[in-house]
Amino acid sequence: MAPSTERVADQLEKPALDDRSYRVIRLPNQLEALLVHDPDTDKASASVNVNVGSFSDADDMPGMAHAVEHLLFMGTEKYPVENDYNQYLSAHSGYSNAYTSSTETNYFFEVAASSSQDSDASTNGSVDSPLHGALDRFAQFFIAPLFLSSTLDRELKAVDSENKKNLQSDTWRLNQLKKTLSSPKHPYHHFSTGNLQTLRDEPTKRGVNVRDEFIKFHHENYSANRMKLVVLGREKLDELEDWVGSLFAGVVNKDLPRNRWDDVEPFSDKELLTQVFAKPVMDTRLLDIYFPYQDEEELYETQPSRYLSHLIGHEGPGSILAHIKAKGWANGLSAGVAPVCPGSAFFTVSIKLTEDGLVHYQEVVEIVFQYISLIKQHKPQQWIVDEMKGMTEVDFKFRQKSPATSFTSKLSSIMQQPLPRDWLLSGTSVIRKFDSQGITKALSYLRPDNYRLTLVSQKFPGDWDQQEKWYGTEYRVEAIPPDFQAAVRKAAKATATDLISELHLPHRNEFIPTKLTVDKKDVTEPAKNPMLVHNDDAVRTWWKKDDRFWVPKANAYITLRNPLAKATPETAVKSNLYCELVKDALDEYSYDAEIAGLEYQLSSYSMGIDIDIGGYSDKLAVLLEKVLISMRDLEVKPDRFNIIKERVLRGLRNWDFQQPYRQVGDFTRWLGSEKGWINEQYLAEVEPLKAQDISAFYPQLLRQMHVECLAHGNIHKEDALRITDLVKSTLRPRTLPKSQWQIRRNLLLPPGSDFTYRHTLGDKANVNHCIEYYLYVGSLDDHALKAKLLLLGQMTEEVGFDQLRTKEQLGYIVFTGAKFAATIMGYRVIIQSEKPTSYLEERVNAFLALFASRLESMTQEAFEGHKKSLINKRLEKVKNLDQESERFWTQITSERFSFVQNEIDAANIKPVTKQDMIDFFTHYIHPTSPARAKLSVHMIAQSNPKPAEAHADKATKPSKPEQKQQLIAILSEYLTSLNIPTSPDKLTPHFSPLDLTKPNLIPDILTAISTYLTSEAKIPTEQAAAITQQGPQILNAVLPELGIEIPVDEEDLPPAPQVKETVVIEDVFAYKAGLAMSKGPVAVRALKESEEGGGKVVVNGDGGENGNGRQEAKL
């Protein structure tokens, strides 16, 4: 009798308001799955986590696990079309992604929960369910992937492009440096991403068939018993169990052991007691202390490291940070455990140093060890653990839903841990026990003989003498000097009389919430908009009592409207410095609130100053009052001002070293606004500022304002009104007349215009260019036009990615879709690439022309499928209180007050016809349209990738005969590695007709090899054909290294149409002066309709709102 599916658990510990049903099963092939039935979800999702990652890469082929992750998306035996999976998901409101880490590879997708446009429709277990079709395709990744030869080179180039994207990222660079300087005996030492050199070129030169290696890796490491699956959908658990049982039954179980590395540590004795000095790309100053630490996988009930990180990472009075911050040595500190793999971990203390702190870094380390000594001198404090334990229980009890893919991806990873299956949801988020001995043992790892230091600075010490292999990071490593070691040992042994008097354990947290009751009332349907409960010349107060999530939390969003905040770059910089100084003054006080689940943000923007406070509602008003008093009474101390100013200055300078695709949008926004500013304009204003400038400025900022507030959550109307009363009574501002309010507007590109703005990137070492190709479409108030723009974004999302990234390999970063500004909208394409921006522009034109023909030939069924998919996306439900608050606040700050904009969009999408879209595309988007209005922003790299021969001295470049001899020698070596006796002398006659000056040599080289194999080496024709089939892959790796250029084969690329000549923007002021301005925002509904008794809303197909009944969507 065949083994049956085992039900492992079906009563999981879950949050109090969780309405989902759960079941853990184990298939006969030992694949374990968590099934989740959510009757209200509008998104279904699944994730598979495989217990194999970069630690399993071969030493001579780093990046294998990552490459296999990419290649699994490229077709399976059952679904051989390479983009079938993503096409299916896109057609059903979904998407997919994956990641590879050190010990796991995680694949996940999201799709509409129902095939109906009614987001509440049930699938009734139908195999027509989008989830079933997606699961069927998904399961084949792990049953029969094809590893298509035709896609291999493209996906390896995608991996290479992904790696190049990260080459100038300090996060990647410093992490790899830490790994490179670890023990070579531990796989932590590996380079995990991979590139063309490690995955294609070097293996090929060794005679390795790389495709066979990837297939072998999948075969040897992917096994059902190493896989954890999570499936979330509307279907009943029994139905999901049937689906999983049938669709994943074909995954082979090879009974592979769980990957562990218990016999070796990432840091051996050689790596300990050393200090590494590293030079970053950005101007940052970091001090990291790494302690090799125990694996806490089995300690999920007690988690002793959280006690250590709570105390060492504390920011309140008596803490390490409070002390070194008072000395002017640091701006921030974090501490915690970072698992490396089963068997190993690091406990890390990371400190953001000031310039003075860099000079005193040794003293900072001594203070850290003094504080560790202080912790050890006090026996583990049960009250501290009880406080932490209580907050983890409260947080879990009131945990709200997260987006579907976030949930499934995270849970499939958690399932790899040895947790009781009924604790999968609570997992390590809840501390369950106080373990004094466990804490004492955990502290024993924080010793003066068990650590390594890393000091990151662009200036100190300045004599870096080595360069990291994979990212090129300059560094120096040395033993910690004996006198420094002695000082650290002394600090670690400090007695109570020796300790710095300012250091002490934290006090009890007064912000721990005690009132956790929720006034829950039955409602027929949750309200779709907040109510305007106060509206006069000085204040608007919006309020909604939570009637959907029923958690003891609330959000208060407050705007202090004053156009002075960003009237000029100078006032923008002053406003920013003011906010940073207030936050700096509040750090010690607000930290207790933060760890008790109540946080605030203070920032400046174009309309004024924003105060956002959110979390447990119990003490929200207490924190708000303290923030307001600190804003009003700020004392600008020169020492703190200088530190904050220097930090802001570094942040502005570091802006140039971001990824180009993260910079380009700022330029597009700047070119589209009359009074927008960019980084270089801010930078020019910071240096001259003094502390007294901020002291004189901020009272002007607070003297006159209009207050707008949204109070949403577990909060009554009276509490909402008290919030705005508190703002007025504390700050006592004069009213800002409406005539002085700033009006949101955008510059309008005229019909038929074509502009290009070029900016040279500041990072000289960056090799990536970037383009944002923007087409203006119209006003945001035109709902019918917006519907067509959204539909275009839906239709081009997958096909754009497939054409521009997958097929043409333009770059790892490719975005297509709608772009919205304050009052206008358009269509944009963003590409980050090593290829020149002029070429990228041409390829975007070609893609748009190609899509025009695809739109013409699109079937009605496919067209309706895109509409259905988009409507489902627009009607997606909010998942938690924060999402609903953000939706409301977006509409309030936009001054449109269109609280059911998603329903308006859906209502306008439904009647759109294919001919409507053809007309829309022809007029606004097609490259040859005489009416379209275009702006391209080109971010141009200073450092372009060069062919191999460009790196050599021209005098040493080999001649054509020498290149031919070298090529013959390499091919001879390769054929010999295949057990085909060969020598250069035997090959040479067959290559004598070869002309290296020809534009495309590869076919001629393959002909020469084939002739040699069949005529001289007497190799059977089929075997010779198999060998030459691998030829293009080998030659693509070898020829560039010999200095022989391989031309891009553009025969299969869609042609780019002829377009009008662009106007290059040389003078931005003149460019802006020549453009008209848009109208300001138009309110979709009158404010009176949002007041108490003002009625409810009906959504019309034309996008209007009216009526006094309940809000209804008429689709």
Side-chain angles (χ1 to χ4, degrees), residues 540-606:
R540 281 202 300 236
T541 305
W542 299 83
W543 163 75
K544 183 193 170 189
K545 173 74 174 68
D546 175 39
D547 55 3
R548 187 188 298 267
F549 303 105
W550 309 114
V551 289
K553 295 184 176 185
N555 291 308
Y557 296 159
I558 304 164
T559 283
L560 311 179
R561 191 191 307 268
N562 186 328
L564 181 62
K566 275 202 172 180
T568 67
E570 181 188 8
T571 62
V573 166
K574 287 179 178 178
S575 299
N576 183 37
L577 280 166
Y578 166 64
C579 292
E580 292 301 314
L581 285 160
V582 172
K583 290 188 285 186
D584 183 67
L586 278 169
D587 275 351
E588 288 187 31
Y589 178 85
S590 63
Y591 185 73
D592 275 351
E594 182 182 331
I595 59 179
L598 183 62
E599 297 186 55
Y600 84 99
Q601 293 292 329
L602 182 67
S603 59
S604 62
Y605 79 123
S606 59

Side-chain angles (χ1 to χ4, degrees), residues 1018-1039:
K1018 306 301 182 186
I1019 300 298
T1021 303
E1022 287 184 4
Q1023 185 182 349
I1027 294 169
T1028 54
Q1029 188 178 6
Q1030 299 300 318
Q1033 180 181 307
I1034 299 162
L1035 294 171
N1036 276 315
V1038 168
L1039 294 179

Side-chain angles (χ1 to χ4, degrees), residues 914-934:
K914 179 181 167 184
Q915 188 58 50
D916 290 337
M917 285 305 298
I918 292 172
D919 294 343
F920 168 83
F921 190 89
T922 303
H923 182 82
Y924 292 102
I925 308 298
H926 198 287
T928 61
S929 167
R932 78 168 190 163
K934 173 176 156 289

Side-chain angles (χ1 to χ4, degrees), residues 113-391:
S114 167
S115 58
S116 168
Q117 290 180 12
D118 177 2
S119 64
D120 292 318
S122 171
T123 65
N124 296 318
S126 167
V127 292
D128 292 332
S129 158
L131 176 59
H132 185 275
L135 277 176
D136 187 17
R137 288 161 173 80
F138 189 49
Q140 294 302 312
F141 282 27
F142 314 103
I143 297 171
L146 288 176
F147 293 93
L148 292 167
S149 298
S150 59
T151 67
L152 182 64
D153 204 55
R154 280 196 274 113
E155 282 309 302
L156 295 184
K157 286 178 179 175
V159 171
D160 189 66
S161 181
E162 183 177 352
N163 178 61
K164 285 176 177 170
K165 172 181 72 72
N166 299 325
L167 288 179
Q168 290 299 101
S169 165
D170 281 325
T171 300
W172 286 87
R173 291 166 69 90
L174 295 173
N175 186 51
Q176 185 59 51
L177 179 62
K178 180 183 169 188
K179 293 164 68 175
T180 297
L181 296 178
S182 66
S183 170
K185 295 180 180 179
H186 195 285
Y188 184 70
H189 185 76
H190 284 175
F191 166 51
S192 57
T193 308
N195 58 30
L196 275 180
Q197 178 189 359
T198 67
L199 295 169
R200 188 192 69 182
D201 298 354
E202 293 297 332
T204 300
K205 284 193 284 187
R206 296 194 303 267
V208 173
N209 183 315
V210 294
R211 177 174 179 269
D212 289 349
E213 290 301 308
F214 296 132
I215 294 171
K216 179 182 175 184
F217 183 92
H218 186 273
H219 177 74
E220 292 182 349
N221 291 283
Y222 278 56
S223 172
N225 72 308
R226 279 186 174 177
M227 297 180 188
K228 307 297 179 183
L229 167 66
V230 178
V231 181
L232 180 154
R234 283 190 192 164
E235 291 75 13
K236 300 291 187 184
L237 292 177
D238 288 348
E239 191 72 26
L240 292 175
E241 183 174 326
D242 288 345
W243 287 1
V244 168
S246 61
L247 296 176
F248 287 85
V251 182
V252 177
N253 177 25
K254 299 156 190 171
D255 285 321
L256 299 178
R258 184 170 184 243
N259 276 316
R260 291 191 65 88
W261 291 267
D262 295 305
D263 55 345
V264 61
E265 290 295 327
F267 286 176
S268 66
D269 291 343
K270 178 183 176 183
E271 285 79 41
L272 294 174
L273 297 182
T274 57
Q275 54 185 9
V276 179
F277 300 96
K279 183 180 181 182
V281 172
M282 291 191 178
D283 188 4
T284 53
R285 294 183 294 269
L286 294 173
L287 170 63
D288 291 329
I289 309 172
Y290 299 107
F291 297 93
Y293 187 74
Q294 65 184 343
D295 174 15
E296 286 192 345
E297 256 197 347
E298 301 285 350
L299 305 178
Y300 46 81
E301 291 189 83
T302 57
Q303 302 172 63
S305 66
R306 291 178 70 170
Y307 181 87
L308 275 58
S309 59
H310 175 74
L311 296 180
I312 295 171
H314 209 281
E315 298 179 15
S319 65
I320 297 171
L321 180 61
H323 180 62
I324 57 179
K325 186 177 171 184
K327 284 183 167 291
W329 292 349
N331 285 316
L333 181 150
S334 60
V337 70
V340 173
C341 60
S344 303
F346 290 115
F347 188 92
T348 304
V349 181
S350 185
I351 302 167
K352 295 179 180 178
L353 297 174
T354 63
E355 287 185 299
D356 202 26
L358 197 61
V359 177
H360 294 277
Y361 84 92
Q362 294 187 358
E363 292 163 78
V364 173
V365 174
E366 292 168 33
I367 292 167
V368 171
F369 274 94
Q370 276 217 28
Y371 196 87
I372 292 170
S373 176
L374 169 67
I375 298 172
K376 290 179 177 179
Q377 288 171 31
H378 293 79
K379 68 177 183 179
Q381 304 290 295
Q382 183 162 354
W383 74 265
I384 293 177
V385 174
D386 287 346
E387 200 172 79
M388 296 167 60
K389 176 174 175 288
M391 276 310 305

